């Protein structure tokens, strides 16, 4: 397979290095990632200005081409398809995000946004995420095997796979839960704390932090990761629709 690997945490993130190394076991890999942190960008594209693309010669996974883009995760996918990759990829892997993409947080996710940009272009996509604390025990043990299982299953042209790995030790890991529905809740709740104002004009400054939830409804993606399961589900796009001939039109050309 030809695999495009991207993320929203930037080219140096631990998650994308792990994802690229795993992808190399499955085929030819091109890494195209933002040159800086781009979380919560959703499917934002850069318009009416420019982006810079730079080849990365010291990416820590041997045998893959790597590039940075001075734009969003969706820009990385678009630039990859339009100007960087010589041939269209067979699939896009996005992640591994530093923080779960579950519940309402999916709507804001740059990781999911990149995957959605891929399916608009007619390329299947998987979004990968894990706990924000950097505990990769379950990821390191099961990433390749779980990805192979997902690749073997059918999915609609208007859907992406959404995988969330629990941030726990292998001793606490409980297994895989498939067909998780999107929780009707935020995993992270924003907390606004007033700070000294930076200007004497009546403005107010707030520090924004977040606290994770402690419980969720049964059958949901949030409940799965809270209980130390790998959560696997699908996220549907209303932009892309199935066609009987398995083709869609992207920027004027048939795919």
């Amino acid at each position: 397979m030809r695999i495009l690997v991207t993320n929203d945490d930037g080219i140096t993130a631990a998650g994308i290095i792990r994802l690229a190394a795993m992808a190399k076991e499955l085929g030819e890999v091109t890494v195209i990632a933002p040159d800086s942190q781009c979380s919560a960008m959703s499917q934002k594209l850069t318009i009416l200005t420019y982006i810079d693309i730079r080849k990365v010669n010291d990416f820590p996974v041997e045998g893959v081409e790597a590039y940075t883009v001075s734009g969003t995760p969706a820009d990385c996918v678009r630039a990859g398809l339009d100007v960087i990759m010589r041939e269209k990829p067979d699939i896009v892997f996005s992640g591994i995000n530093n923080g779960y993409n579950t519940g309402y947080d999916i709507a804001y996710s740059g990781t999911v946004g990149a995957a959605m940009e891929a399916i608009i272009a007619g390329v299947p996509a998987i979004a990968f995420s894990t706990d924000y604390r950097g505990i990769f025990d379950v990821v390191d043990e099961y990433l390749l095997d779980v990805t192979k299982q997902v690749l073997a299953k059918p999915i609609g042209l208007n859907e992406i796979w959404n995988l969330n790995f629990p941030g726990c030790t292998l001793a606490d890991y409980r297994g895989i839960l498939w067909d998780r529905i999107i929780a009707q809740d935020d995993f992270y709740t924003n907390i606004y704390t007033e700070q000294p104002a930076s200007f004497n004009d009546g403005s107010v400054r707030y520090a924004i932090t977040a606290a994770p939830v402690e419980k969720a409804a049964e059958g949901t993606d949030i409940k799965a990761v809270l209980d130390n399961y790998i959560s696997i589900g699908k996220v549907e796009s209303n932009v892309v629709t199935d066609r009987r001939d398995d083709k869609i039109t992207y920027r004027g050309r048939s795919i």
Side-chain angles (χ1 to χ4, degrees):
M1 290 193 299
R2 288 185 300 276
I3 305 168
L4 190 165
V5 174
T6 190
N7 75 346
D8 71 0
D9 292 317
I11 191 73
T12 62
I16 199 170
I17 295 168
R18 283 176 162 83
L19 190 57
M22 182 278 290
K24 188 181 172 185
E25 299 293 319
L26 301 173
E28 175 186 322
V29 179
T30 303
V31 173
I32 307 172
D35 62 7
S36 61
Q37 172 60 246
C38 285
S39 292
M41 289 285 186
S42 189
Q43 205 170 336
K44 177 184 176 182
L45 290 172
T46 301
I47 60 171
L48 303 179
T49 181
Y50 59 84
I51 58 173
D52 296 317
I53 298 173
R54 179 177 64 87
K55 187 167 185 179
V56 178
N57 295 316
D58 58 352
F59 190 75
V61 180
E62 291 186 10
V64 306
E65 286 192 4
Y67 301 84
T68 61
V69 174
S70 64
T72 69
D75 284 329
C76 292
V77 174
R78 181 69 65 86
L81 297 176
D82 286 357
V83 298
I84 298 175
M85 299 185 72
R86 292 175 292 277
E87 295 182 79
K88 177 183 169 184
D90 298 301
I91 196 163
V92 169
F93 290 169
S94 184
I96 302 166
N97 191 62
N98 181 31
Y100 296 129
N101 279 304
T102 55
Y104 294 152
D105 298 292
I106 288 171
Y108 306 103
S109 168
T111 303
V112 173
M116 289 296 184
E117 188 65 26
I119 63 171
I120 285 179
V123 180
I126 305 175
F128 300 81
S129 304
T130 191
D131 185 78
Y132 71 95
R133 293 171 296 180
I135 304 171
F136 288 100
D137 298 32
V138 178
V139 169
D140 291 340
E141 183 70 20
Y142 294 104
L143 180 59
L144 178 59
D145 179 63
V146 170
T147 302
K148 286 180 177 178
Q149 291 185 52
V150 168
L151 290 173
K153 292 183 177 290
I155 192 167
L157 291 178
N158 63 327
E159 297 172 323
I160 67 164
W161 288 108
N162 188 35
L163 279 59
N164 284 274
F165 290 77
C168 63
T169 65
L170 290 177
D172 292 330
Y173 168 65
R174 300 178 66 184
I176 302 172
L177 291 177
W178 291 81
D179 302 321
R180 298 301 90 185
I181 61 175
I182 299 170
Q184 302 300 293
D185 199 357
D186 296 298
F187 187 89
Y188 303 102
T189 300
N190 284 344
I191 300 170
Y192 292 80
T193 304
E194 187 172 341
Q195 302 288 313
S198 56
F199 302 100
N200 295 319
D201 59 359
S203 61
V204 181
R205 168 172 286 186
Y206 288 90
I208 304 172
T209 55
V213 298
E214 297 181 355
K215 60 182 180 179
E218 292 290 341
T220 64
D221 48 10
I222 293 180
K223 177 65 173 173
V225 294
L226 287 176
D227 290 344
N228 293 338
Y229 288 93
I230 295 174
S231 171
I232 302 179
K234 297 175 181 178
V235 181
E236 181 177 330
S237 170
N238 290 326
V239 176
V240 183
T241 57
D242 289 334
R243 303 291 175 87
R244 291 185 180 181
D245 60 1
D246 282 343
K247 292 184 178 180
I248 65 172
T249 298
Y250 172 62
R251 298 189 67 181
R253 61 181 185 271
S254 182
I255 296 173

